[in-house]
Amino acid sequence: MEEHLALSLHPNKVILRKYRQGIDFLGYVILPYHRVIRMKTRNRVISKIGIKREGSYNNLISQESLRQSLNSYLGILKHCNGHDLEHEMIWLSGWGEIEI
């Protein structure tokens, strides 16, 4: 790469990984045949849903705000294989199986 293109990789910013480990990009891990949400992103979403739910129960935020946040997170999951996380988020939000 250095010889033919006169390019070099930054030693602290580029990580070469095995093909089967996937590529970490924009909150997802891109694998050969599917995408999954990054664990750090998943944990942050679960935490924020719990915080919003508590705020809703204590009347600090509206049910509408909780619903909007949940819909936003569900939209993120439409771009990956996150069906299990989707059900977990709905359960954690307290909305159950009602239409969101």
Side-chain angles (χ1 to χ4, degrees):
M1 195 166 82
E2 289 181 23
E3 291 176 17
H4 298 292
L5 300 175
L7 296 174
S8 63
L9 300 176
H10 192 284
N12 298 330
K13 294 183 180 179
V14 176
I15 300 171
L16 298 177
R17 300 171 66 174
K18 294 180 181 173
Y19 177 69
R20 67 180 173 268
Q21 291 177 316
I23 298 168
D24 186 2
F25 185 68
L26 296 177
Y28 302 98
V29 177
I30 316 304
L31 296 162
Y33 300 103
H34 66 284
R35 286 180 297 262
V36 293
I37 197 162
R38 186 186 323 153
M39 285 304 292
K40 184 176 180 179
T41 305
R42 178 198 179 281
N43 293 338
R44 184 173 41 246
V45 165
I46 293 296
S47 173
K48 288 191 179 217
I49 292 249
I51 290 168
K52 288 264 188 180
R53 184 192 65 199
E54 290 301 316
S56 175
Y57 286 160
N58 296 327
N59 293 323
L60 299 174
I61 65 167
S62 67
Q63 289 283 325
E64 180 67 14
S65 177
L66 174 61
R67 187 185 65 78
Q68 289 173 351
S69 295
L70 184 59
N71 278 330
S72 175
Y73 293 134
L74 292 174
I76 291 170
L77 293 177
K78 296 294 180 193
H79 300 282
C80 68
N81 298 51
H83 307 293
D84 293 339
L85 180 57
E86 181 177 333
H87 294 298
E88 184 179 353
M89 285 173 36
I90 291 171
W91 181 80
L92 282 173
S93 70
W95 287 90
E97 293 297 325
I98 64 172
E99 187 166 330
I100 298 169

